[in-house]
């Protein structure tokens, strides 16, 4: 009787220990490669109150909606490991969101990163900007003022 119980227990143990892991679904990478000439990548953090305010501004402020026309807008969350396909730096690659944020040294939030269609970084601003100032910065990039003037000089005239 004890032998039968032992064999039955051994069979049950073997059955459960041989069960392979379910194959994990591969998460498809989201692309942050611009379709337009310029893009704005916002790196945010889940616990950042200024990131939440910026998201609200982007949805409600008409000045920002107008400024962003013709520019790609992408969002990354620092704490996520979701893969993203990017060309920042000039080479197409796929990396987790957190790794890309670290590569870009985006460790203060929100972090505003402007880049062109070819993946060239134009401007990076750590921190929140009120709608009017952010609109000025967007136009600074979109109108290619960055090619001939420093941002601080442009902001004196814009804001």
């Amino acid at each position: 009787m004890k032998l039968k119980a032992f064999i039955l227990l051994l069979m049950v143990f073997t059955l459960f220990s041989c069960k392979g892991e379910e194959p994990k679904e591969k998460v498809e990478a989201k692309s942050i490669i611009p379709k337009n000439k310029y893009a704005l990548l916002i790196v945010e953090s889940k616990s950042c109150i200024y990131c939440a305010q910026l998201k609200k501004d982007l949805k409600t402020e008409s000045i920002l909606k107008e400024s962003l026309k013709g520019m790609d807008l992408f969002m990354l969350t620092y704490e996520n490991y979701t893969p993203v396909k990017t060309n920042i730096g000039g080479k197409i690659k796929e990396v987790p969101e957190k790794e890309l944020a670290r590569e870009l040294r985006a460790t203060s939030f929100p972090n505003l990163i402007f880049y062109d269609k070819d993946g060239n970084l134009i401007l990076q601003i750590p921190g929140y900007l009120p709608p009017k100032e952010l609109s000025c910065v967007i136009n600074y990039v979109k109108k290619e003022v960055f090619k001939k003037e420093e941002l601080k000089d442009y902001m004196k005239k814009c804001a």
Side-chain angles (χ1 to χ4, degrees):
M1 185 74 167
K2 288 183 181 180
L3 183 60
K4 285 183 182 178
F6 176 76
I7 292 173
L8 182 61
L9 185 61
L10 187 59
M11 287 173 43
V12 170
F13 177 77
T14 305
L15 181 65
F16 284 108
S17 66
C18 292
K19 184 180 176 190
E21 279 192 31
E22 298 284 324
K24 294 183 180 178
E25 279 186 41
K26 181 173 166 90
V27 177
E28 190 170 328
K30 68 179 179 180
S31 177
I32 60 168
I33 298 173
K35 289 179 176 53
N36 290 298
K37 193 169 186 177
Y38 296 107
L40 166 57
L41 171 63
I42 300 173
V43 180
E44 62 182 357
S45 175
K46 291 177 182 177
S47 61
C48 168
I49 59 170
Y50 294 104
C51 300
Q53 181 61 48
L54 178 57
K55 273 184 167 176
K56 181 182 174 194
D57 292 348
L58 291 168
K59 287 180 184 174
T60 61
E61 296 292 329
S62 57
I63 191 170
L64 291 176
K65 289 178 184 180
E66 188 62 34
S67 296
L68 282 166
K69 284 183 181 174
M71 180 180 272
D72 292 297
L73 174 64
F74 302 110
M75 307 282 281
L76 292 185
T77 304
Y78 185 78
E79 296 86 358
N80 284 353
Y81 290 92
T82 305
V84 290
K85 188 176 193 177
T86 181
N87 68 338
I88 297 176
K91 182 181 176 189
I92 294 178
K93 62 183 176 180
E94 196 174 299
V95 294
E97 289 184 43
K98 185 168 187 139
E99 186 178 318
L100 179 60
R102 285 182 176 165
E103 284 177 21
L104 295 169
R105 295 188 177 141
T107 55
S108 57
F109 311 104
N111 205 293
L112 313 172
I113 301 167
F114 293 87
Y115 59 105
D116 67 17
K117 192 173 191 162
D118 298 322
N120 300 308
L121 285 176
I122 297 167
L123 181 64
Q124 186 166 355
I125 300 174
Y128 172 82
L129 292 175
K132 187 174 181 192
E133 289 177 34
L134 179 53
S135 175
C136 286
V137 175
I138 292 167
N139 288 321
Y140 173 77
V141 172
K142 227 169 83 173
K143 296 177 180 178
E144 300 185 343
V145 181
F146 66 91
K147 292 181 177 180
K148 56 187 175 222
E149 190 174 357
E150 291 293 318
L151 178 60
K152 61 182 171 116
D153 298 328
Y154 179 78
M155 291 301 284
K156 287 177 190 173
K157 295 183 272 184
C158 183

